[in-house]
Each structure stands twice: as structure tokens, then as C-alpha cells.
Amino acid sequence: MSKKKLTKDWVGNYLKNNPSFLTDFVVKNVPLTMLLEWRKDKETRKSNVGKDGVFSGAVKSIQKMSKSQALPDLAVAEVGQRKTISDLKEFIEDPEKKESRQLQRKKTMGELTGPQQEDLFFELILDIAHELAVDALCNKILSNVAMLTGSDRCSLFLVRVSGKGQQFLESKLFESSDPAGRICTPMQEGGISVQIPFGKGIAGLVAQTKKPVNVVDAHKDERFNTEIDRKTGYRTKSLLTMPVFNFEGSVIGVAQIMNKQGGDEVFSKQDEWIFEKFLVFCGISLTNAELFGLSLSEFKMNKLLLVLTKGIFAEQTKLDSLTRRIMLDIHSIISCDRCIMYLVNFTASVEQDVEITKAYDLTVSDKTILNPSDDALKKFPATNFALQVARTGESHEFDAKNQEVEPLVSDTGYEIRSVMSMPVLDTHKHVVGVVQLINKFNNEAFNPSDIKTIATFALFCGLGIYNCRLYESMVKMIARQKVNLDVLSYYAAASDSETSDLVSSTVLKSQKLKLTALDFFDSSLSDSETAKAIITIFTELNFIEHFRIQTDILCRWILSVKKNYRPYPYHNWRHAVNVVQMMFYCITVGDVKSVLSELEKFALIVASVCHDLDYRPEIFRIKQPLQMLYSLQSVEHHYADQCIMLLNHEKTNVFHSLGTDEYRVVLELLESCILSADLTDFTKNIKSFQDIVSKEKVNWTVDYNRRLLRSMLMAGSDVCITCKPWSTQVKVVQAIFTDYCRLTEEGRPGGKPDKSGASVQKRMRTELPKMQVAFLDAVCLPLYLLLSNAFPLLKPTHDACLANRSQWKKHAEEAQRSAKSTLSHTSPSSASSSSSSSSSSSSSSSSSSSSSLPTLPPQPP
């Protein structure tokens, strides 16, 4: 058999005579974009292509086919091209046929043939598959259910959960037939959605048992609630109720169809099958729509959190401004008439009752925020709920309808139907306020989502209120501290008359005061000359001119520092004068000034004057306030704090003319120098300093090298008594040791000072020389040797210290011989007793020696 030759006319005739073939071919092979191009080409080339042409025939064939055939394949085929179903609908819905297709959809399943029934079923499934708005989806479900089953009316209930975790059904829509088409309206009573508990009525029973119920005559079934028919005037006869499941098999809703139209007006098994199958897809669509709605709600919640966080961190200085800002930010997401924020405080009475300190009343409609008076709050009914929440710390809900009570009415006539009150907690879980939402829109009750929003809002309000109150308390504390500082400075600072006398006095030369001599000692100066000596040092180091220090400020600062040194045997103002003189000696005579900057010299001199400021022995005793304050820090931190406190006062701030950067640097240098007087890290620092000095040429431009040098200079100045003449040193060391013994005896459990001084004199003869030799060997001699190696002009300090060491060594040997002689002349029994006593004394001496040294002012025992 010969093959028939294919021609254009033959193919065209074949396609016209076989439209189903054309439909299948186009759906499977032609991209959606090409179909859209065809339609566009058709509109622009109507004059060139006849109504019976191939293109026209293809379009008509596609218009005649059902969406159920065209949509799935095309949708899958065009995913990569990002085309939507609506594009295909626009192509299929030819304007000339649109009206006739809508009339066709109004037919019921019984009026269509088998293939048409399948087409309609899938078309209705696709109609709900792409709807993500819950209300619109419920509308489509009811309309499509009525069309499929031929029912007169239908309704849909969705499962909801109350704040107490109880499930109930909430009516969404009620659909009825109408000559102009089906109408879907909310099923409500008094403007509020109908709520049905699980197990109550036919719908509640279906939700609870998960089984469908088909009632032939509803009014003969005792489970049917006739109240709705009575109110609406509608007569329900046949009733088919079925559950709607999600993919997990849980009930998410209940659908009802009423009064079968045509025939015996009873829903058949076929109706049950169609209804059940369609609800499977409805359950999937409802789940997706609610998940989408939940994601939108979470998005809004996250957006709210960002806005609230921004508002909180933008305004933390004033509580009033913060509260107003947060409430204005939140109003757009609160679906209620009013929002009230109560700020509360607990009274100091025995009952610890709560009182409202302030309230903010936001009217959402016009965004106005008012501050109700106390009388207005007392008369407002919802205030009682806020007080209850403040007392218990637990949220409270009021819903007049669900609780079957009358709405509350204020004295202004405002009706309160629903109230949600949430406590506002600070970081310590204390109630600081109550946030209250009143009258949710559409007369609905507050749902779990609303409660979550309110709880989040309350959380951020709590953070904001806590931060603002903390800031306000800090402002008050700073103000109080400033007042206290002014009061203290009045007593701690020198008087105007004293300052004037010092300002008008003559500045003495350093040579006259022997400030450049190594054997200088404060005993050669009168009380007034000690203050003048500091002025001389500032003058000859050119600090007054270089740093533009006002004379009255300098004099007041010197006298104030002098006044804040307490009259202890050693750590007093005259000790500070000796230390600053030694620093002056190192800088000038020792030529250390050649490697130091002006700011470093300035900081070293000021630190030397203040290095033991406000020294008190009780700082070393347990449970004393100062000891508890600095228990984890060296005592030098207290000295630095006192020094800076004086400098903070404008009348005693010798750094007053420095710029911002210089002021910051000099304070850092000052604190570092005072803290370096602590010998805790002396061993580590002196080893590092030894490594630096041992080099052939030291690079003093390195910051680390200069920092170690400043530390060594402070230490060397602090122990300068060890390189003073022997007669001077003995008297000072004995005074230090006396104070040392008194402190150690008082520090022992049950210890009391020996007022007779006999024990001190004994220990001074036996222990002091040996301890002093150990101290000179361990600290002073290595320190002055390294400083002499770095700066040869400082060699006299090491020589003087070495000479004193030989004297202490001689006394130590004499004490040892005396002790042996005493032991040889004692009886065996008394020798044994003496040996025991000597052992105990030796142990005490060893312990005292290892813990602290008597000549170290920064670290007394």
C-alpha cells in the first residue's frame, strides 16, 4: 500500500476533523509562551487568517477543552519558565466564551456526563489549590462543594484552640443559593463567630469522632441545634456533615451541606463519596493556607520585634518617651480598639499592695495617647483586671460572650466586651507594669496568636522600662555622687586662706632645700616648706609654664593632697615628700629626663606625690570596708582612685589645660605609675628590665622599655630610705617596724597590741637586722644596680644602699651571737622551753618575712 503524500491542506483538514488530537499535541508539545504568542498574533492578524484557518481551529479547540486537561501538563512543563496557572487561564478564557463557561460551571455533577464530571471535579480542585488566603479559600470551598453535591446550603467550621488549650469549632462561612448566584456570608451571632465545643451538636460530634453523619431529617435528630433555623427562618431537612483532615489525619475543620436539591432531597452514597473525596483536597489546601497565614503572622511578629528593638535602643533615657514610642509602633499590629499600659509600684506597707504610678491610654483609631488621671483610672472597669495581674503576676482574660456575662460599661458609656491583660516583668521577674488590650476588632475573642503577640510586646516593654529606670537611677546616682564629692571636696580640699598664703609665698630654690642631694630628708624642712618644695620641683621642671598650670590650682592641689595624707608613723605626707624628692633627683641629677617625654615626667612627679594617698592600715584587715572593696586588687588602686578624685575637681585639677588626647594619656600614665609601686610583679619586671639594660645600647624610644623604666623609678623612689645616711635610715626603719609589729599582732586571731612595747623591742633586736639584710639583697641592691647601669649618674644610690647593707649585716651577726650566748647559759629545761619559743618566733619571723617587708610602703603586712 502506497503512502499518502502529506500536504498542508491535508494536515489542516485532519486537525479540523480531529480536534482532540490537536489538543493532546499542543498540551504535550507546545510551550505556554508560544501559545501566548499565537494569541497575540491572532489579535493582530485577524484580517489575514480566516475563522476556519488552522490557528483559529487550534484556539477554538483549546477553548473547548477543560482546564483539568490543559493545566497540569502545561504547569509542569513551564515551571522552568516561571509561568503561572493564571497565564494559562487568561489564554483559555477567551472573552467570547467566558460567559458560557461560567454558566457551565453552575451545573451540578448529576447534570454532567462521566467525562464532564471528571473535568469539573479536577477544575474545582485546581480552583482551590492555588488559593492561600483562608477566608477566600473557605469561600471557594463552599461554592464548589455546593456545585458538586447539588446542595442548597453549606457551612464550614474550622478547629481553633482556646487560651486554656481546649479545642472548639469556629464558624467561617455560610453559603446559600440565590437567583443571582451563590452568596457566602460569615456565620455569626451578634457579630461574633459561632463557636461549638467538641462533642456538642452534630458538627461537634463529627469533630470529636472523626466520622461523617448523614441525617435525613435534621429536626427529628436530637443532636441538631434548631436555634439557628429559628433565627434565620431557614428550614434544614437533609444534612450531611463530614470532617476535614490534614495530612497527619487530625481534624482541622468540619463541613456541612444541607437540603439536597432535586429527586428525593436526600444525600446519597454517591454524594458522600464526592463530598469526602473533595474534602481531602480541601484539607490539604486549608493546611497550606493556614501555614501560609502563620508564616505571614510570624513575619509580622518578627517585623514588630525589630521595630520594638530599634525603639528601645533608640530611646533609653526617658521612660515616658520610650513608652509612647513603643505604643505608637505597636498600634499597627494590634487588632483592638484600645491599648493601655499601666506602670505599677509596690507600696512599702506590710501588705505590699500595688499602686498605679502612671498609665498610657492609646486609642488605635486616631493614634492618640492620653494619661488618665487617678480618678479616671479608679472609675474605669478594666483597671481592676490590671491590679489583679500586677498582684498575681499572671495574665488575665475577660470575654463577656464566652463567659456569658454582660459587657462592662465605663462611666463615659464605653462598652468593654473583651480584655486581655498581660504582666510586664523586668529582668528580675518583678512586675513593673501591665499591658492591656481592649475590644478586639469584629467582636472576636483574643486567640492564642494575640496572646503570643501581647506576651512579646510585654517582654520588650519590660526590657525598655527596666533599662530606662536603670538609666534614671544611674543619673540620680551620678548626681548624688557629684553632690557628695562637692561636700567631701569642701572638707578634703584646702581652704581659700591656706591656698592664698601658699600662692603669695616665695618660691625657694632647689639648692636651698637640698632637693638635688641624695642625703635629703624631710626632717630638714618645716611644715610649710614641704609644700613649697613641691612647687619648687614643678617650677624647675618647667611644668607650670609648659602645661600652663594656674598657680592657685597647683597650690590648692598640693595642700589638698597634704591634707588627705593621714598622720601614720611612716605612710604620711612627709614620706610623699621624700619619694617625690627622690624622683626629682633621678630625673635631674640622674639625667633620666633625657629619655622621658614631658608628659611622662609630669605623670611621674604627680604619681610620686600621691602614691600612698589616704593610706589606712585597716585596708589589710579582713571584713573592713576598704579591704572588701579592694580585696581582689592591690591597695594601690585605692591610692590611684583618691588621686583621680582630687583631679576631678576643677579647683584641684593640675591637668586642667591639657587637650583631650593629652589628658587621656597622662591619666593612663598616672594610674600606671601609681600601680607600679606595688611590688607584686617586681620580680618579673626587674628581670625584664635587666634584659633591656644588659644590652650594649638601650633603645628608649620603645614604649615597653620606657614603661619598665617608669616602674623601676617608682619602686626606687618608694624605697629611697634604704640609700639615705645610716643614722636617718635606722630611725625610719625602726618606726616602720614598730608599726609593722602592731599590725601583725592585731591581725592574729585574738591578738592584742602590747602597749608596753617590750615585745616590739625584743623583736626589733632579734628579727629586724636579718629581715633588712634580706630585703636589701632581694630588692634594693638589684634595683639600684640596674638603674646605675642604665644611668651611671645614679651610681651613688647603689653605693649608699650597699653601705647600709653592711651595717645591717653587722647588727644581724651580733643578734645571732647574742641569741647563741643566751641559749648556752640556760638550763636544759628552760633551754628546751626557750628552744620551743625560739622555734615559734623563728617560724613567725619567717612567715612575716615571706609575706611582706617592713620597709615597703605600698604593701604593709
Side-chain angles (χ1 to χ4, degrees), residues 190 278 520 557 600-601 670 796 843:
F278 187 71
F520 167 86
W557 173 75
E600 287 176 310
K601 289 185 286 185
L670 175 65
S843 174

Side-chain angles (χ1 to χ4, degrees), residues 292-363:
F292 179 74
L294 182 62
S295 67
L296 284 180
S297 176
E298 290 295 330
F299 173 76
K300 292 180 180 178
M301 177 66 68
N302 292 335
K303 185 177 180 180
L304 168 65
L305 296 182
L306 290 175
V307 171
L308 290 176
T309 304
K310 181 180 178 181
I312 285 176
F313 286 102
E315 179 58 71
Q316 292 193 5
T317 58
K318 294 182 180 179
L319 182 58
D320 185 79
S321 300
L322 174 67
T323 307
R324 290 177 178 275
R325 178 165 186 165
I326 291 179
M327 295 187 74
L328 288 175
D329 288 339
I330 196 71
H331 86 275
S332 59
I333 204 169
I334 299 176
S335 53
C336 61
D337 289 343
R338 294 170 70 176
C339 174
I340 303 179
M341 168 68 75
Y342 301 89
L343 299 182
V344 301
N345 193 16
F346 287 88
T347 62
S349 62
V350 179
E351 294 80 7
Q352 281 286 303
D353 198 10
V354 66
E355 62 178 358
I356 298 174
T357 58
K358 198 168 187 179
Y360 300 84
D361 188 355
L362 166 66
T363 303

Side-chain angles (χ1 to χ4, degrees), residues 11-31 34-35 38 51-65 69-70 73-74 91:
V11 172
N13 291 330
Y14 179 81
L15 292 177
K16 283 191 287 184
N17 296 328
N18 297 275
S20 60
F21 172 79
L22 176 61
T23 299
D24 292 338
F25 180 82
V26 170
V27 168
K28 293 180 180 179
N29 300 283
V30 179
M34 185 175 291
L35 293 176
W38 284 356
K51 292 184 179 179
D52 296 329
V54 177
F55 181 81
S56 177
V59 173
K60 288 181 180 180
S61 298
I62 293 174
Q63 290 174 342
K64 290 179 181 179
M65 73 180 182
Q69 293 174 316
D73 291 337
L74 281 174
F91 176 80

Side-chain angles (χ1 to χ4, degrees), residues 158 306 381 437 577:
L158 297 183
L306 290 175
L437 302 186
V577 173

Side-chain angles (χ1 to χ4, degrees), residues 5 62 82 109 135 160 304 334 477 483 543 563 571 660 701 757 846 851:
K5 186 177 180 179
I62 293 174
R82 300 182 181 179
M109 290 286 282
D135 291 338
R160 296 288 182 253
L304 168 65
I334 299 176
M477 186 183 300
V483 172
F543 290 163
K563 191 174 182 179
H571 301 89
T660 304
T701 61
S846 175
S851 63

